[in-house]
Amino acid sequence: MKVTEILSRLEKTADPSAVEGMARFGITGEKVYGVNVPVLRTLAKEIGRDHALALELWAVNSRETRILATLCAEIAKTDDSLMENWATAFDSWEMCDQCIMNLFERHPLAWDKAFQWSEREEEFVKRAGFVMMARLAGSDKESGDDRFETFFPPIIREASDNRNMVKKAVNWALRGIGKRNLALREKAIKCAEDVRALGTKSARWIASDAIRELQSEKLIDRLTKREQKRGIS
């Protein structure tokens, strides 16, 4: 499928009435067609993995073509330079999160980028670092607890960043790590307490929200049953 055909399809499915609603939730871009993500995923399945096409779609610089690019790009052909260039171009939380979820979290450099981007000043690049941590906490089934514990220092370090899209991602990462198992839950609560001790407005919010979820009976029950099940098997 060629870019011209994809653009024609987007024009036909465009929903101008959805654009304003998206903007209210911070979903923006140089060009927004108002096509929802499930429709884009269906189109991406039809297109298939095509790295050259993904690069062309990203260059178009619309919300929809860039999300499609993240869905059609090939991991094997995605290098450090592409990851840096795309991350630097993030202009909304949605684009950041979609790129991480659809492509970057499965890359061999995912762990390195989580640390590197968490130190960056750009709002959405820094967010990307913590979204990567949160996603890895849910999708990486091989890494041990000790590896996830290495995310606690950057979480504490950046918890006082009051920018909304950063603090929400820091919180997401902390909660995600704590929801892996009971042992990490305890350590994540301790990390949250260290965050709260920083005393800043954003740190207090991050800590309180995380502790609220990590101390919920529902979560404890779910993690307990999961570990009991694994013990039986």
Side-chain angles (χ1 to χ4, degrees), residues 40-169:
L40 295 176
R41 290 189 180 279
T42 299
L43 178 55
K45 287 181 180 179
E46 185 179 342
I47 296 168
R49 293 286 174 180
D50 186 333
H51 198 73
L53 179 60
L55 297 179
E56 291 184 60
L57 288 169
W58 186 268
V60 172
N61 193 12
S62 77
R63 167 188 173 266
E64 286 75 7
T65 57
R66 288 197 163 181
I67 290 176
L68 284 172
T70 70
L71 290 164
C72 297
E74 299 172 48
I75 286 286
K77 296 179 181 178
T78 298
D79 58 15
D80 181 273
S81 177
L82 182 147
M83 295 177 80
E84 287 295 327
N85 289 337
W86 285 18
T88 303
F90 292 157
D91 57 3
S92 73
W93 66 266
E94 183 198 39
M95 189 58 61
C96 167
D97 296 7
Q98 286 292 323
C99 195
I100 298 297
M101 292 187 288
N102 299 337
L103 183 63
F104 289 171
E105 75 174 82
R106 296 180 289 110
H107 197 279
L109 290 174
W111 280 81
D112 290 339
K113 291 302 177 187
F115 287 106
Q116 292 170 14
W117 289 341
S118 74
E119 297 181 345
R120 294 275 287 275
E121 181 58 29
E122 306 100 303
E123 182 174 11
F124 293 116
V125 180
K126 182 171 286 189
R127 177 183 174 86
F130 290 102
V131 171
M132 189 81 84
M133 295 179 195
R135 292 293 302 179
L136 288 171
S139 64
D140 186 333
K141 306 304 181 183
E142 304 299 324
S143 295
D145 290 2
D146 56 343
R147 195 175 190 193
F148 284 97
E149 288 174 45
T150 63
F151 285 152
F152 290 148
I155 285 172
I156 296 170
R157 185 192 68 225
E158 302 301 336
S160 292
D161 190 321
N162 197 45
R163 290 175 293 182
N164 202 38
M165 294 303 145
V166 174
K167 71 179 184 181
K168 286 187 174 182

Side-chain angles (χ1 to χ4, degrees), residues 174-229:
L174 180 55
R175 289 184 293 107
I177 296 167
K179 290 190 287 186
R180 278 184 67 85
N181 56 52
L182 289 171
L184 278 176
R185 171 188 164 274
E186 291 292 336
K187 292 177 179 179
I189 289 174
K190 174 59 171 63
C191 178
E193 291 169 347
D194 291 341
V195 166
R196 183 161 56 189
L198 296 173
T200 62
K201 183 178 179 180
S202 59
R204 291 195 302 271
W205 177 84
I206 289 167
S208 296
D209 185 76
I211 290 172
R212 184 182 305 110
E213 180 170 4
L214 296 176
Q215 289 184 335
S216 70
E217 292 184 7
K218 183 177 180 181
L219 175 64
I220 295 171
D221 184 59
R222 176 163 60 84
L223 293 178
T224 301
K225 288 180 179 178
R226 181 194 298 169
E227 296 192 9
Q228 288 174 341
K229 184 177 180 181

